[in-house]
Amino acid sequence: MEIGVLGPLVVSVRGRSLVPSAAKSRQVLALLAANLGRHVSLDAIVRELWDGTTPGSPTGVVQTYVKQLRHALAAALGPADETGPKELLSRTHTGYVLNLPGAEADARTFERLAMDGFRALAQQEAAEAAALLDRAEELWRGPALADVRTGPVLRTETHRLDEVRRAATEHRVTAYMMLGRHSEILGELSAMTDRYPLQEGLHALWIVCLYRCGRSGEALDAFRRLRAAMVGELGIEPSHRLQRLHHAVLRDDPALDAAAAGLAAF
C-alpha cells in the first residue's frame, strides 16, 4: 500500500491506484490520505469541498463520495481479502478515518527525516544532517497534491508542508556549507531565493554561498535585489543581521569564511 501527497496524489492498494478522476472525490481521498490513520470530521470534509457554499444535503453527498472510494478499495482488495473496505475507510460518529495497514504517507516520512536532520544539525553533526535532509528532499515529486483541486482545509496542509520543506532546505544548505560543499548547492539556492523573494534566511545563505565561491559581486547583487523587494513590497529594510552580512561582503570580512555554519558570526 502506498500513500503519497508530496507531488501528485498517490493512493494505491496492491499496485492498483484508488485515485478517482472526479475532482471532489479526489479531494475527499486527498484529505483522508493526508490524515492517514487520523479522524477527519464531516465538517472538515464539507468545508474542504464547498468552502461556505454548501449544498442542501452535504452529508448525503459526502456519503456518496465515500461509497465510491470504498468500491475502489473493494475492487483492489479482491473478494478473498479478510479486511473489508469499511474497515479500511471507517465511519466514526462525526467523520471518517482511512486506515491502510503497513502504509505510511510520504509526508510523515518527510517530516520525521526533517526533524531528525534538524536535531543532528543542532548537535553540529553536519554530515548526518545533510544525509537525513537529502533523503527528506528526495521524497518530493513536485508541489504537494499537485493534481488535486484544493479547498481551504487542504490548502492549509499544503502550505504547512511547504513551510517545513523550506525550513528543511535552509538546514540542509547550512549543513552543506559546514561541510564546505558550497558549489553543490548554488543552483538550488538560486531557485529557492527566486521562489521566496522575501525570505531573509535563504538569501543570507545565498549571499554567503556566492561569496565563498568567489562571486562577491553576485553576492552584493543578491542583497540589493532582496532590499529592493522588501522595500517595494513590505516598506521595510532588511534586518540588521542582513545589513551586517552585506557590510561584511563589502569589506571582505574573514569571518565570512571562518564562521562554521556560514552565518554564525552575523
Side-chain angles (χ1 to χ4, degrees):
M1 298 188 183
E2 185 180 3
I3 302 287
V5 300
L6 303 181
L9 178 63
V10 174
V11 181
S12 64
V13 173
R14 295 182 176 173
R16 181 166 179 168
S17 175
L18 304 184
V19 180
S21 57
K24 288 195 181 297
S25 295
R26 186 182 292 239
Q27 270 180 280
V28 174
L29 181 59
L31 188 55
L32 292 166
N35 292 276
L36 183 66
R38 296 193 295 251
H39 171 263
V40 179
S41 71
L42 179 61
D43 287 344
I45 297 173
V46 170
R47 192 165 68 255
E48 167 63 25
L49 293 178
W50 293 288
D51 192 14
T53 57
T54 311
S57 179
T59 300
V61 177
V62 171
Q63 287 175 345
T64 298
Y65 294 143
V66 169
K67 185 177 181 180
Q68 292 169 353
L69 294 174
R70 283 176 173 162
H71 279 318
L73 272 169
L77 292 169
D81 199 292
E82 296 180 358
T83 305
K86 288 187 177 181
E87 293 175 84
L88 298 181
L89 178 46
S90 59
R91 175 84 182 263
T92 70
H93 290 299
T94 57
Y96 297 90
V97 179
L98 179 65
N99 288 295
L100 297 181
E104 182 177 42
D106 56 0
R108 303 258 181 95
T109 305
F110 162 72
E111 291 190 82
R112 186 178 66 251
L113 288 168
M115 294 304 117
D116 289 345
F118 296 168
R119 283 190 289 269
L121 190 62
Q123 295 167 5
Q124 300 295 303
E125 297 171 354
E128 182 179 355
L132 287 165
L133 294 167
D134 278 343
R135 288 170 56 197
E137 176 60 28
E138 287 167 3
L139 292 169
W140 286 80
R141 297 169 285 110
L145 296 174
D147 60 347
V148 177
R149 184 177 64 191
T150 57
V153 182
L154 282 176
R155 278 198 298 272
T156 297
E157 176 63 7
T158 57
H159 290 164
R160 185 188 70 81
L161 288 170
D162 192 53
E163 281 301 303
V164 179
R165 187 185 190 186
R166 182 188 57 76
T169 297
E170 287 193 31
H171 283 73
R172 186 162 62 90
V173 166
T174 299
Y176 270 57
M177 292 177 69
M178 291 172 69
L179 296 167
R181 298 168 62 180
H182 313 102
S183 60
E184 295 179 44
I185 53 175
L186 277 173
E188 181 177 6
L189 266 177
S190 176
M192 291 297 289
T193 52
D194 283 343
R195 183 177 179 185
Y196 300 101
L198 302 175
Q199 177 49 244
E200 285 196 351
L202 284 170
H203 280 78
L205 290 166
W206 176 226
I207 290 167
V208 173
C209 193
L210 284 168
Y211 177 87
R212 289 189 176 183
C213 289
R215 297 161 66 171
S216 300
E218 292 176 62
L220 294 172
D221 285 341
F223 176 82
R224 283 192 286 268
R225 287 194 300 273
L226 171 64
R227 181 182 181 277
M230 294 187 70
V231 171
E233 296 190 33
L234 304 177
I236 60 173
E237 293 283 343
S239 67
H240 290 305
R241 184 189 189 207
L242 261 292
Q243 293 183 42
R244 287 195 300 271
L245 181 59
H246 177 231
H247 293 151
V249 175
L250 284 170
R251 63 177 183 269
D252 200 22
D253 193 329
L256 285 165
D257 288 313
L263 300 173
F266 303 96

